[in-house]
Amino acid sequence: MKQRNELQTELAGSEFGIKGECVISLMLTKLDIINTVLFMKLHRNVIQMKTGRLKSYESVCKKLEKKGLELSFPVALEKINDLIGVRAICAYVDDIYQVAEMIEKQKDIRIIKVKDYIRNPKKSGYQSLHLILEAAIAFQDGIQWIKIELQLRTAAMDYWANLDHQLRYKRGAKEAESIDGELRQCAEVIADLDQKMLKIRKKIDKI
Amino acid sequence: MKQRNELQTELAGSEFGIKGECVISLMLTKLDIINTVLFMKLHRNVIQMKTGRLKSYESVCKKLEKKGLELSFPVALEKINDLIGVRAICAYVDDIYQVAEMIEKQKDIRIIKVKDYIRNPKKSGYQSLHLILEAAIAFQDGIQWIKIELQLRTAAMDYWANLDHQLRYKRGAKEAESIDGELRQCAEVIADLDQKMLKIRKKIDKI
Amino acid sequence: MKQRNELQTELAGSEFGIKGECVISLMLTKLDIINTVLFMKLHRNVIQMKTGRLKSYESVCKKLEKKGLELSFPVALEKINDLIGVRAICAYVDDIYQVAEMIEKQKDIRIIKVKDYIRNPKKSGYQSLHLILEAAIAFQDGIQWIKIELQLRTAAMDYWANLDHQLRYKRGAKEAESIDGELRQCAEVIADLDQKMLKIRKKIDKI
Amino acid sequence: MKQRNELQTELAGSEFGIKGECVISLMLTKLDIINTVLFMKLHRNVIQMKTGRLKSYESVCKKLEKKGLELSFPVALEKINDLIGVRAICAYVDDIYQVAEMIEKQKDIRIIKVKDYIRNPKKSGYQSLHLILEAAIAFQDGIQWIKIELQLRTAAMDYWANLDHQLRYKRGAKEAESIDGELRQCAEVIADLDQKMLKIRKKIDKI
């Protein structure tokens, strides 16, 4: 019980939260600039939408419990990559990798880890490219590198992920099992659709 | 030639353009509020993304020429509904109709016409719900009702429409024909996917 | 104690807070449009900055206590005009009244009361024009008129008010008294400066 | 004539303009973060407002002509510091120097020159702190350092500067001369007011 409170205080507490909001706004601006830079080359918007959020106390607890970890702030900070998270919806599958390449070029961002759930989807059907990053923020006492997870997906992958997310909180219920199967089927339709759309776009590019 | 110039001047001219930007910002705020109001009821975001734009001079000319109409500003104002346009991407197909219902309730918006390309898709495969509206803006000399087109779609419909839009400018080319067929097939996959996703969401809602 | 909790819950509670955010965003958009409309006429920005906020639980309690009122939500809702507040900084004193006139013309806003602390400054030296308004928001069950206070001031008045606000929380301390006198003097310098600047602008307008 | 056209094309041209918008959005985000970082220490907003803009073709020409320079893009790029400009309005005079210190700490910004028109106002009465900076933007072919001018002022200095700016375009007229004198007097009142307000704030800080 004591640890839960410490975790809750630290997550909502001014310092972590405020620094988190800073990194999120920096990342959203970077994505804007990356979109602009790629627009100059491709003459179309590569990033269609982007959002950022701090993970809620409830979600942090669920994730720690699922992993069998202690509910403490230092553990959360070390083991949960998306305490601070940003998501960008890209127009086509190949755009995702172009954005990732541009992220790599930033002077004040370093890539810690890449999880490619597009080439290797999760069992559930989940697809996205996750980049675990550290971004440099200047504070009064110097530069600090803050961890943030960037999720890159197409609109179709995002559609699926949102629906899967709504189901997540109801799993365990008997009816949920059959839905899991239907969702897996939809994930296949979507992966197939993304490939078809990409193929058509490439044909159009060549005309 | 004279008319083209008059059209260009009026479209880019300060008054129409400035008034257009005003209506767009009002509509985007309305959509934000509608999303918030529906969130209170449904506990999820019904509107995922929204954008607004003034139709460019080039697009206006193409549309007038396609319709065999004179290239003049009064004709454009009367015959082209989306000179001022706003688009909202909704989470599920049924959300589209809920947003439309909320638009109907606004004190300072009146619905002129509804074009339901979801129930009756265009031959090309295009799907969306179009509401032709008039919105009230207070100017120094009183209230003015300004025409605006609101397009409502799911992310999957938007995915398709963006790809179709990229092709539009290349139509006429020989290769474009075979792509049209592939796009029509994709439109069917997407209509089917939207229905499947909606069905799954309704099952989840019931658990 | 019970009432404090009821007050806190209602203020932070989803419904009042969410509706408040809706009215704030509507008012900020209206001010944007008003600025644009006046720009067409005057060729300069009349509104320089604008902000909105929900009054915090702590501030509501202080205000109710100062007025000798019960700490309950219905009392707060009736007696405190700026539970929901928007502030606009105008370029010159006469711009304030032009913005107020444009507010009057809005179809979905009605003015409940006007408090002109520019013509009649508070004893402390405080100057601003306060409009107590009701704005129409469409909810699922129909239109609701929500109370909001709009404060209009010049940058110089705002400068003073921010400094006075910082002192407010320290009043009662012995040193605060002499500062009150210095602030009153500054308020006079500012009122004088605002008039001088307005006079110069009118001379420039005439050239 | 040829050069004018080249200058106009390059200024409005996609590359310089687009890169300029990128640097502006980066600087505005940096200022947001700096405000947040200083808020954690001082518990008040140090930056009250911020804006960015690309210098218009007309203004560039006037400035080049005034300096007796050739109207060409390379000359403009080298000799005009505020082709890309950002302005931040700070709460008090000492805040201006705190923001400047934080700018110095940024990993991806370097300070080229500092012009302190607060300690040494221009003859006209103009006061502001100007930082000529270079900011790093990652493009596809690597990092590019782009020049930008950051102007830091109090609200009172900004009030004066806006009025002076409105007069600038009418200078040369006979009536303008007497107004110049009145503006210089106002500049002194403002410098005095800024010092008084700062003194009061420091007294309040100590209570």
Side-chain angles (χ1 to χ4, degrees):
Chain A
M1 195 59 192
K2 186 185 148 282
Q3 281 155 339
R4 249 181 210 270
N5 290 345
E6 171 260 345
L7 175 58
Q8 191 163 23
T9 311
E10 290 288 347
L11 282 175
S14 59
E15 212 182 310
F16 176 77
I18 289 171
K19 288 181 177 180
E21 296 292 353
C22 287
V23 195
I24 287 171
S25 74
L26 184 70
M27 280 302 299
L28 294 176
T29 303
K30 293 266 174 195
L31 289 168
D32 259 344
I33 294 176
I34 288 173
N35 186 47
T36 303
V37 167
L38 291 174
F39 191 95
M40 287 197 281
K41 182 183 156 202
L42 303 169
H43 308 289
R44 56 182 183 79
N45 286 308
V46 153
I47 296 171
Q48 298 186 317
M49 192 174 63
K50 52 196 188 315
T51 53
R53 62 103 190 88
L54 298 175
K55 203 175 187 73
S56 72
Y57 169 64
E58 287 73 25
S59 303
V60 171
C61 287
K62 268 183 204 160
K63 203 158 192 171
L64 287 173
E65 276 163 3
K66 207 180 138 192
K67 293 185 173 212
L69 292 168
E70 193 194 354
L71 301 181
S72 83
F73 184 64
V75 171
L77 210 53
E78 198 199 321
K79 298 292 187 184
I80 301 186
N81 290 325
D82 67 338
L83 284 185
I84 307 167
V86 162
R87 182 177 298 154
I89 311 303
C90 296
Y92 300 99
V93 181
D94 59 346
D95 294 337
I96 289 171
Y97 295 97
Q98 294 221 49
V99 171
E101 249 175 66
M102 287 296 298
I103 287 287
E104 233 185 296
K105 295 190 183 171
Q106 306 299 312
K107 229 180 123 60
D108 49 355
I109 292 179
R110 46 193 194 208
I111 298 184
I112 302 300
K113 208 195 295 190
V114 176
K115 295 189 181 181
D116 191 338
Y117 297 121
I118 297 172
R119 278 168 198 156
N120 305 299
K122 290 193 184 179
K123 259 187 234 171
S124 63
Y126 178 81
Q127 294 183 67
S128 281
L129 181 68
H130 291 195
L131 305 182
I132 323 297
L133 310 169
E134 280 179 347
I137 301 280
F139 291 97
Q140 282 227 305
D141 46 358
I143 299 283
Q144 206 177 321
W145 291 87
I146 298 179
K147 188 162 66 171
I148 182 165
E149 183 177 278
L150 173 62
Q151 301 182 345
L152 300 167
R153 357 172 134 156
T154 64
M157 294 174 191
D158 188 55
Y159 197 174
W160 187 93
N162 287 329
L163 192 47
D164 183 64
H165 184 84
Q166 286 166 43
L167 185 59
R168 192 179 310 162
Y169 297 107
K170 297 184 168 173
R171 265 170 190 143
K174 214 171 126 190
E175 305 89 324
E177 272 174 57
S178 75
I179 296 178
D180 268 333
E182 289 178 54
L183 265 170
R184 259 193 308 273
Q185 275 175 28
C186 275
E188 278 165 38
V189 173
I190 279 168
D192 199 48
L193 178 68
D194 271 336
Q195 288 308 322
K196 267 186 194 145
M197 299 286 273
L198 179 59
K199 226 179 83 190
I200 298 179
R201 197 211 73 213
K202 285 184 173 170
K203 278 192 190 175
I204 295 174
D205 285 347
K206 274 187 207 149
I207 302 184
Chain B
M1 195 57 192
K2 186 184 149 284
Q3 281 155 339
R4 249 180 209 273
N5 290 344
E6 171 259 346
L7 174 59
Q8 191 162 23
T9 310
E10 289 287 345
L11 281 175
S14 60
E15 213 181 309
F16 176 76
I18 289 172
K19 288 181 177 180
E21 295 293 352
C22 287
V23 195
I24 288 171
S25 73
L26 184 70
M27 279 304 299
L28 294 176
T29 304
K30 292 266 173 195
L31 288 168
D32 258 345
I33 294 176
I34 287 172
N35 186 47
T36 303
V37 167
L38 290 175
F39 190 96
M40 286 196 280
K41 182 184 155 199
L42 303 170
H43 308 289
R44 57 183 184 78
N45 285 309
V46 154
I47 296 172
Q48 296 186 319
M49 192 173 62
K50 51 194 190 315
T51 53
R53 63 100 190 88
L54 296 174
K55 203 175 188 75
S56 72
Y57 169 66
E58 288 73 25
S59 303
V60 171
C61 287
K62 268 183 204 158
K63 202 157 193 173
L64 287 173
E65 277 162 2
K66 206 179 137 193
K67 293 183 172 215
L69 293 168
E70 192 194 353
L71 299 181
S72 83
F73 184 63
V75 172
L77 210 52
E78 199 198 322
K79 298 292 187 186
I80 301 187
N81 291 324
D82 67 338
L83 285 185
I84 306 166
V86 162
R87 183 176 297 154
I89 311 303
C90 296
Y92 300 98
V93 181
D94 58 346
D95 294 337
I96 289 172
Y97 297 96
Q98 293 221 49
V99 171
E101 250 176 66
M102 288 296 298
I103 288 286
E104 234 185 298
K105 295 189 183 170
Q106 306 298 313
K107 229 180 123 59
D108 49 356
I109 292 179
R110 44 195 195 208
I111 299 184
I112 302 300
K113 210 195 294 189
V114 176
K115 295 189 182 181
D116 190 337
Y117 297 122
I118 297 172
R119 278 169 197 155
N120 306 298
K122 289 193 185 180
K123 261 188 234 170
S124 63
Y126 178 81
Q127 293 183 66
S128 281
L129 181 68
H130 291 194
L131 304 182
I132 323 298
L133 310 169
E134 281 179 347
I137 301 281
F139 291 97
Q140 282 227 305
D141 46 357
I143 298 284
Q144 206 176 320
W145 291 87
I146 297 178
K147 188 163 67 174
I148 183 165
E149 184 177 278
L150 172 62
Q151 302 182 344
L152 300 167
R153 359 172 131 155
T154 65
M157 295 173 191
D158 189 56
Y159 196 175
W160 186 92
N162 287 329
L163 192 47
D164 183 63
H165 184 84
Q166 286 167 41
L167 184 59
R168 193 178 311 163
Y169 298 107
K170 298 185 168 171
R171 267 171 190 142
K174 215 172 124 190
E175 306 90 324
E177 272 175 58
S178 76
I179 296 178
D180 267 332
E182 289 178 54
L183 265 171
R184 259 194 307 276
Q185 275 176 28
C186 275
E188 278 166 38
V189 173
I190 279 167
D192 200 49
L193 178 67
D194 270 336
Q195 288 308 322
K196 267 187 194 144
M197 297 287 272
L198 178 58
K199 227 179 84 191
I200 298 179
R201 199 213 70 215
K202 284 184 174 170
K203 277 194 192 172
I204 294 175
D205 286 346
K206 274 188 206 146
I207 302 183
Chain C
M1 196 56 192
K2 185 183 150 285
Q3 280 154 340
R4 246 180 212 273
N5 290 345
E6 171 259 346
L7 175 58
Q8 191 162 24
T9 310
E10 290 287 345
L11 282 175
S14 60
E15 213 182 309
F16 177 76
I18 288 172
K19 289 181 176 180
E21 296 293 352
C22 287
V23 195
I24 288 171
S25 74
L26 184 71
M27 280 304 299
L28 294 175
T29 303
K30 293 267 174 193
L31 289 168
D32 259 344
I33 295 176
I34 287 172
N35 186 47
T36 303
V37 167
L38 291 174
F39 190 96
M40 287 196 281
K41 182 185 156 199
L42 303 169
H43 308 289
R44 56 183 183 77
N45 285 309
V46 153
I47 296 171
Q48 297 185 319
M49 191 175 63
K50 52 195 190 315
T51 53
R53 62 102 190 86
L54 297 175
K55 203 176 188 72
S56 72
Y57 169 65
E58 288 73 23
S59 303
V60 171
C61 287
K62 269 183 203 159
K63 202 157 194 172
L64 287 173
E65 277 163 3
K66 206 179 139 194
K67 293 184 173 215
L69 293 168
E70 193 194 351
L71 301 181
S72 83
F73 183 63
V75 171
L77 209 53
E78 198 199 322
K79 299 292 187 186
I80 301 186
N81 290 324
D82 67 338
L83 284 185
I84 306 167
V86 163
R87 183 176 298 154
I89 311 303
C90 295
Y92 301 98
V93 181
D94 58 345
D95 293 337
I96 289 172
Y97 296 96
Q98 293 220 50
V99 171
E101 250 176 64
M102 287 297 297
I103 287 287
E104 234 185 297
K105 294 188 184 171
Q106 306 299 312
K107 230 178 122 61
D108 50 355
I109 292 180
R110 46 194 193 208
I111 299 185
I112 302 301
K113 210 196 294 191
V114 177
K115 295 189 181 181
D116 191 337
Y117 297 123
I118 297 172
R119 277 167 198 156
N120 306 297
K122 289 192 185 181
K123 260 187 233 171
S124 63
Y126 177 81
Q127 293 184 68
S128 281
L129 181 68
H130 290 195
L131 305 182
I132 322 299
L133 310 168
E134 281 180 347
I137 301 280
F139 291 96
Q140 283 228 304
D141 46 358
I143 298 284
Q144 205 176 322
W145 291 87
I146 297 178
K147 188 162 67 174
I148 183 165
E149 184 177 277
L150 173 62
Q151 302 182 345
L152 299 167
R153 356 172 134 156
T154 65
M157 294 173 191
D158 189 55
Y159 197 174
W160 186 92
N162 287 328
L163 192 47
D164 183 64
H165 184 84
Q166 284 167 42
L167 185 59
R168 193 178 309 162
Y169 297 107
K170 297 186 168 172
R171 266 171 191 143
K174 216 172 126 190
E175 305 90 323
E177 272 174 58
S178 74
I179 296 177
D180 267 332
E182 290 177 54
L183 264 171
R184 259 193 308 274
Q185 276 175 28
C186 276
E188 278 166 38
V189 173
I190 279 167
D192 200 48
L193 178 68
D194 270 335
Q195 287 308 322
K196 268 186 194 144
M197 299 285 272
L198 179 58
K199 228 179 84 191
I200 297 178
R201 198 213 71 215
K202 284 183 174 171
K203 279 193 191 173
I204 295 174
D205 285 347
K206 275 187 206 148
I207 302 183
Chain D
M1 194 61 190
K2 187 184 146 281
Q3 281 154 340
R4 248 181 210 269
N5 290 345
E6 172 259 345
L7 175 58
Q8 192 162 23
T9 310
E10 290 287 346
L11 282 175
S14 60
E15 211 181 310
F16 176 76
I18 288 171
K19 288 182 177 180
E21 295 292 353
C22 287
V23 195
I24 287 171
S25 74
L26 185 70
M27 279 303 299
L28 294 176
T29 303
K30 292 267 174 194
L31 288 168
D32 259 344
I33 294 176
I34 287 172
N35 186 48
T36 302
V37 167
L38 291 174
F39 190 96
M40 286 197 280
K41 182 184 156 202
L42 302 169
H43 307 290
R44 56 183 184 78
N45 286 308
V46 153
I47 297 171
Q48 297 186 318
M49 193 173 65
K50 51 194 190 314
T51 54
R53 63 102 190 89
L54 297 175
K55 203 175 187 73
S56 72
Y57 169 64
E58 288 73 24
S59 303
V60 171
C61 287
K62 269 182 202 161
K63 203 158 192 171
L64 287 173
E65 278 163 2
K66 209 180 136 191
K67 293 184 173 213
L69 292 168
E70 191 194 355
L71 300 182
S72 83
F73 184 64
V75 172
L77 210 52
E78 198 199 322
K79 298 292 187 185
I80 301 187
N81 290 324
D82 67 339
L83 285 185
I84 306 167
V86 162
R87 183 177 297 153
I89 311 302
C90 296
Y92 300 98
V93 181
D94 59 346
D95 293 337
I96 288 171
Y97 296 97
Q98 293 222 48
V99 171
E101 248 176 68
M102 287 297 298
I103 287 287
E104 235 187 294
K105 296 191 182 169
Q106 306 299 311
K107 229 179 123 59
D108 49 356
I109 292 179
R110 45 194 193 209
I111 299 184
I112 302 301
K113 208 196 293 190
V114 177
K115 295 189 181 182
D116 190 338
Y117 297 121
I118 298 172
R119 277 168 198 156
N120 306 299
K122 290 193 185 180
K123 260 188 231 169
S124 63
Y126 178 81
Q127 294 182 68
S128 281
L129 181 69
H130 291 195
L131 305 182
I132 323 299
L133 310 169
E134 280 179 346
I137 301 280
F139 291 97
Q140 281 227 306
D141 46 359
I143 297 284
Q144 206 177 321
W145 291 87
I146 298 179
K147 188 162 67 172
I148 183 165
E149 183 177 278
L150 173 63
Q151 302 182 344
L152 300 167
R153 357 171 134 158
T154 64
M157 295 173 190
D158 189 55
Y159 197 174
W160 187 93
N162 286 328
L163 192 48
D164 183 63
H165 184 84
Q166 285 167 43
L167 185 59
R168 194 178 309 162
Y169 297 106
K170 297 184 168 173
R171 265 168 193 147
K174 215 172 124 190
E175 306 89 322
E177 273 175 56
S178 75
I179 295 178
D180 268 333
E182 289 178 54
L183 265 170
R184 259 193 307 275
Q185 275 176 29
C186 276
E188 278 166 38
V189 173
I190 279 168
D192 200 49
L193 179 67
D194 270 337
Q195 288 307 322
K196 266 186 195 145
M197 298 286 273
L198 179 58
K199 227 179 85 190
I200 297 178
R201 198 211 72 213
K202 284 184 174 171
K203 277 193 192 175
I204 294 174
D205 284 348
K206 274 186 205 148
I207 301 183

